[in-house]
Amino acid sequence: MKNLRAILMPIAILLGILLPQAHVLSPLMPFLIGTMMFLTFVTKIPPQTHGYTFKIEIRALIVSLLLVAVIAGIVKLFDLPREVLLGGAIIALCPPANAAPAMAKMLGGSASLALKIFLSGNLIACFSIPLVFGYLTGTDAGLSEIAMKIFNTIQPIISIPLAFALGLRAFYPELADRAAKYQKYTMFVWTFSVFVILAKASYDIREMGFTELWNSGKLPMMAGISLVLCVLLFSLGWFVERNRRPIESSQSMGQKNTTLVIWIATLYAGPVVALAPTCYVVWQNLVLSWMSARIKPKEPTQTGIAKSE
C-alpha cells in the first residue's frame, strides 16, 4: 500500500494539472468526502487507554488560531491582498485528513490514536471554521448569518456519515465490520479526490488567466503561504510530541482534509482563495512521500484499529 501510494499520488497530481476538463467531476466532491468520512467513522474504535487525543487536538486548535492571528498581522503589516489571509486561515483551520489513520499506520504510529484525533478534529472544525472563517469572510452579512451558512454546509458532510456509521455499528455490527474492511481504500478515494481538485484548480487558473494571476502576485502568494504552513505544521506537530507521539501529532497538525476546505473556500471566498488549500494538496503529498521514504516504520506501541485493517 505504501509503495502504491507513492506511485498513484504523483500520477493523480500530474493528471489533474494536465486534464482541466475533468473539472466537470467537481460536483462529486461532497459525495467523495462523505464516502471517506463514512469509511473512517464506521471503523471500530478501541476503548480510550491514553489521554493524548484531546490534548493533541486542543493544542492543534490553539496553534491554528495563533497562526490565523499571525497571518492577519502580516497581511496588515505588509498590505497584502485579503485572499492571502483567507487562504492561510482556511488551511490553518482545516481538520485532519481521512487518510491520516492509514498514513500513521504506514509510518509505524498508532492508527487508533490517529482515528480518534481525526474524529475530534473534524467535530471541532464544525464550529471553528464557521466562526473564524465566517468572521473573516463576512462583509455584507453578519457573523451569525455567514457562520450559520458555513455550519449548515459543513455539518451534513460530517454528521450524516457519522450518524449512518454509528447506526450501522449499533444495530448491524456484522455489516459495520464488513464496511470497516474497506477503510484502507479511503486512500484511493482520496487520490481520486486529489485528481478532481487539481483538475478544477487547473481549469479555474486557465479561466482566470494564468499570466494575470502570476503577474498580480496572487498565485505565487497562495503557493507560498501554503508551502510555509505545510512545512511549519508538520514540523510543529512532530516537535511538540517528539518524545511520545510524533507521528500522530504531525499527522494531526499537518495532514489536512483539504477536500473539505477547498469546497468551503470555493463556496464562500472564491476560486483564488481556494488556490491556497489546493497548492497545499501538492506540498502535503510531497511531504508525506518524503516521510514515507525517510521514516522506517517501527512496531506500534498501541494496538491498531482492527486486525482486518
Side-chain angles (χ1 to χ4, degrees), residues 67-89 136 221-222 225:
L67 283 174
V68 172
V70 169
I71 295 168
I74 292 173
V75 167
K76 186 174 182 180
L77 180 63
F78 294 99
D79 196 25
L80 299 176
R82 187 167 179 76
E83 288 91 345
V84 176
L85 170 59
L86 296 176
L136 295 175
M221 283 188 281
M222 292 294 123
I225 188 70

Side-chain angles (χ1 to χ4, degrees), residues 183-201:
Q183 196 270 339
K184 58 186 175 182
Y185 297 113
T186 54
M187 189 147 310
F188 295 102
V189 183
W190 183 36
T191 302
F192 181 69
S193 299
V194 168
F195 163 69
V196 176
I197 286 168
L198 292 178
K200 179 69 166 63

Side-chain angles (χ1 to χ4, degrees), residues 28-41 98 156-158 160-162 164-165 186 189 193 257 259-260 263:
L28 293 175
M29 288 309 302
F31 302 99
L32 293 173
I33 297 169
T35 299
M36 289 189 288
M37 290 284 186
F38 169 74
L39 290 174
T40 306
F41 288 148
N98 300 79
I157 296 294
I158 296 175
I160 292 174
L162 178 60
F164 188 44
T186 54
V189 183
S193 299
N257 191 353
T259 51
L260 177 64
W263 185 48

